[in-house]
Amino acid sequence: MAGHVVTFIGENENGILAELNGAFMQRLQPMGLQGHVIDLHQPGWTDRLLPLAREGIALAWGSAGIGATLSVGEGNLWDMLQVPFISVLADTPCQLPANHRVLSRWVANGYMMEDWLAVQRRLIRSPQISALLPFGVLPNPYRDRTPWSRRPHRMVFVKTGEDPARRRAEWEGWPAPLRRALNDAAAEAARRPTGDITELVIEATRANGLHLEERLEILFAVAFQVDMHTRALRSNAFARALLPLGALIIGRGWDHLDTAGARAALRPALHAAELPALYAETQFLVSTTPNFGGGVHERVAGGFAARACVVSDSNAYTRARFADLPAFHGLDWTAGNLPEQVAAIFHGRADRDADAAAALAVAERDFPPEVFLRALVELAELVRAGNRLERFPA
């Protein structure tokens, strides 16, 4: 097998992809592979790629499909190089639909959530090889530095904020039928536990006389708006529950909150390189989940890996997998008494070190990073085999 694995990154907030993808690449050496990170926003990136291609690239990959559509002339780069490229897709297809359908036999879709694979197969119907990838969380090197009972941060919420009212105001400029569908779908999503919202968006458009499955650009535009609005409602619900407490809220975009009399401290966003140490100094890491039900959010697993307890909204996956894990506090984000539930956890006096240790064991057992990397390699091997068999008689 060729010896190089290349991951592509682009512009992203707080350097999260450079940190995560780079750390995954460092764990390839025991597998006999050498990892490389190429930033497409850095000049001269092709000068780094071409020598690797000459030596032999086992596979390339990019989060959210970054790098999947690189071209040479009129063709796809990966077709020309005959190198498998894996789009690692952790976001809903409505975010960037084009990256879920790339016309290349050498580009495969690797989904982190069952929900997104189902949406792609139902609506986009990409001819690419598509597969589910197992989730892997990187070990936290600081996890044992401070015992749980002596950690300085009681509750920490790392999240970019958004005012859902501002987004709703933008809908006033949309055509009336779409505006009605947006408001109907948003109202219904606000009543439901965390999960995929695609079907309720389709139901809302049909209820308003619109059948948009043949105009996916319009359907996905509506779904994107409802997706972002629902996520903003969810994160605001948790942020407001934290304001009366001595919590730490880190991230931009919370200027719309009424912080008069708040005990929580609001701080600017941190670079991603600082997050593992912060998590390992935290007793309860707070998280909210995007609109999926068939997987775990990286902040939840990252909290476990930091030997912290986690407070989060729950979805079908967490209710099934973490029901007997005391370190995970899965809450219904639509509950009217959400602030009281969060406050009760905050003011609890029990030493949760044993619970946090059990959560760390779950992270190590269920989400080892090597499982994710091996799945990438196996999917790349499948792409290679599939192209060797393309002339096999049907």
Side-chain angles (χ1 to χ4, degrees), residues 285-329:
L285 185 66
V286 180
S287 179
T288 56
T289 309
N291 295 302
F292 59 75
V296 62
H297 193 274
E298 61 188 27
R299 273 191 304 271
V300 173
F304 293 170
R307 199 169 175 151
C309 296
V310 174
V311 178
S312 175
D313 58 315
S314 62
N315 63 11
Y317 181 96
T318 61
R319 287 191 292 273
R321 295 288 293 273
F322 305 146
D324 298 323
L325 191 65
F328 180 75
H329 299 264

Side-chain angles (χ1 to χ4, degrees), residues 13-14 157-167 170 227-240 242-243 248-257 266-270 288 299:
E13 191 166 7
N14 304 331
F157 187 31
V158 181
K159 182 69 176 174
T160 300
E162 180 187 351
D163 184 357
R166 292 176 188 166
R167 186 169 291 274
E170 295 173 359
D227 176 74
M228 298 303 292
H229 179 265
T230 307
R231 291 166 65 171
L233 287 178
R234 191 172 296 133
S235 60
N236 273 263
F238 275 82
R240 289 194 171 94
L242 293 171
L243 285 179
L248 185 59
I249 301 174
I250 297 175
R252 62 173 178 82
W254 297 108
D255 54 293
H256 62 282
L257 294 180
L266 278 75
R267 303 282 169 77
L270 294 175
T288 56
R299 273 191 304 271

